[in-house]
Amino acid sequence: MSREILVVTPENIEIEYELAGVGSRFFANLIDTLWQMGILLAMTILFLIVTLVLGFITSAFAQQLLTALVHIQMGLASIATFIVFWGYYIYYETAWNGQTPGKRQVGLRVLRDGGYPINIFAAIVRNLLRVVDGIPVVVVGFLIAGASENKPEIAAVGAASMILTLCFLLFSGKYQRLGDFVAGTMVVKQRAPRVPTLEALAPPPRVLPEHLAAYALADVGKHVYEMTVPEYRAVRHAIDRRWQLPAPMQQASAMYLAVPLMRRLGIVPPAGVTYINYADLLEYLAVAFEQYRGVK
């Protein structure tokens, strides 16, 4: 089954994505699970510290609070587990535009069908269904619990969840698990941007400022994936008509487009830079978007 998928946006732009396979998604999930276990460990340590401190305080209020915490500790543990194992994915995929720490490390991103960025509703749906599939620690927990307590029915639940997930991932057209099907999402690999040469940026020939060249080569690529297709179209339109304008007007018109775009994408000039060639920066953004996102 091909890993490449071609998406045609409503703006009639073709964008090619490489779908993430089982292996890369497993490693991303493993990294996220380690983060989640670390968060739970930190919360447990914090709870123990609070109860220990309250135990040394002799006031009636402190003792009542300690007693209440002891009585509801199982409830607090359940709430904390839910927040960490489900809220973690929902928060990061919404705040980090389809990525979690694990996905960012492996180079994956969640998108909605059609190539659109994931929204809060899709993130909630795809991650709430992790109770059925997609959480290795839950699957392993069922298998271990069933084996240790000699209850094959518990182990069977974990095995069924694992088989269901693998079947969806291996036999669906977009390597989607059940949560992806319901939410209308897919997981794709991020391409490393191919840096254009000066010759590729011509005609007509021009020389980029030294400070902008190093900055663009190092930093533009990691930001262009946050660009939307309408933003790319605006940038490409401005670049295509750039050379119809006198040099001063090129910079003036480019600045009105580049400054808010830099602010939204989080592009910050290097320390000490006092001048930016906004027209050249827009050209880097357009070319990097085309190569990074596979625009045809």
Side-chain angles (χ1 to χ4, degrees):
M1 184 169 56
S2 174
R3 287 282 190 88
E4 303 294 327
I5 181 172
L6 188 66
V7 174
V8 181
T9 70
E11 294 85 1
N12 202 31
I13 293 179
E14 295 181 351
I15 301 181
E16 188 177 60
Y17 295 102
E18 181 182 358
L19 296 169
V22 176
S24 56
R25 293 182 69 165
F26 172 79
F27 281 112
N29 209 320
L30 179 61
I31 294 172
D32 285 325
T33 300
L34 293 176
W35 273 99
Q36 290 170 321
M37 298 302 290
I39 294 172
L40 280 177
L41 179 61
M43 295 172 70
T44 302
I45 294 174
L46 179 61
F47 179 82
L48 292 175
I49 292 174
V50 170
T51 55
L52 185 63
V53 171
L54 290 175
F56 283 102
I57 301 176
T58 58
S59 67
F61 174 77
Q63 293 304 311
Q64 291 175 356
L65 181 58
L66 177 60
T67 302
L69 288 176
V70 171
H71 284 138
I72 65 172
Q73 60 181 336
M74 294 304 297
L76 291 176
S78 300
I79 294 173
T81 301
F82 177 84
I83 291 175
V84 170
F85 280 104
W86 280 271
Y88 171 94
Y89 287 102
I90 295 171
Y91 168 77
Y92 277 113
E93 288 182 0
T94 304
W96 285 15
N97 196 19
Q99 288 188 310
T100 60
K103 288 185 177 68
R104 178 167 291 186
Q105 188 70 29
V106 179
L108 306 181
R109 186 182 296 273
V110 182
L111 299 174
R112 286 185 293 155
D113 291 340
Y116 298 102
I118 191 172
N119 55 28
I120 181 64
F121 303 106
I124 290 174
V125 171
R126 78 180 300 272
N127 287 298
L128 285 181
L129 284 173
R130 286 181 182 274
V131 70
V132 179
D133 71 336
I135 301 185
V137 69
V138 174
V139 173
V140 173
F142 274 114
L143 294 175
I144 294 176
S148 61
E149 299 181 15
N150 196 23
K151 293 184 178 180
E153 62 275 11
I154 297 179
V157 173
S161 175
M162 180 173 62
I163 293 172
L164 175 67
T165 302
L166 289 176
C167 286
F168 270 99
L169 288 174
L170 294 175
F171 298 110
S172 65
K174 299 177 184 176
Y175 295 92
Q176 294 168 300
R177 60 178 180 82
L178 178 61
D180 290 316
F181 265 108
V182 177
T185 56
M186 58 183 176
V187 182
V188 301
K189 288 186 176 181
Q190 290 193 174
R191 290 185 177 89
R194 300 187 298 273
V195 178
T197 62
L198 292 181
E199 291 76 12
L201 289 175
R206 54 211 178 270
V207 178
L208 290 172
E210 286 187 6
H211 73 271
L212 183 59
Y215 166 50
L217 299 184
D219 292 326
V220 166
K222 66 184 181 183
H223 291 287
V224 311
Y225 216 100
E226 309 295 330
M227 285 180 64
T228 64
V229 171
E231 288 171 340
Y232 158 74
R233 287 176 63 88
V235 170
R236 172 46 65 192
H237 177 72
I239 292 304
D240 288 342
R241 63 188 294 270
R242 168 185 180 180
W243 301 105
Q244 301 173 9
L245 303 174
M249 290 189 64
Q250 288 182 29
Q251 293 302 317
S253 61
M255 181 179 67
Y256 286 108
L257 179 58
V259 169
L261 191 58
M262 290 172 65
R263 186 180 301 116
R264 198 190 74 76
L265 299 179
I267 300 177
V268 180
V273 172
T274 58
Y275 169 76
I276 295 177
N277 189 319
Y278 291 108
D280 282 339
L281 176 58
L282 289 180
E283 185 131 16
Y284 267 120
L285 284 170
V287 175
F289 185 95
E290 291 160 357
Q291 295 191 357
Y292 198 25
R293 301 280 295 273
V295 173
K296 296 185 176 180

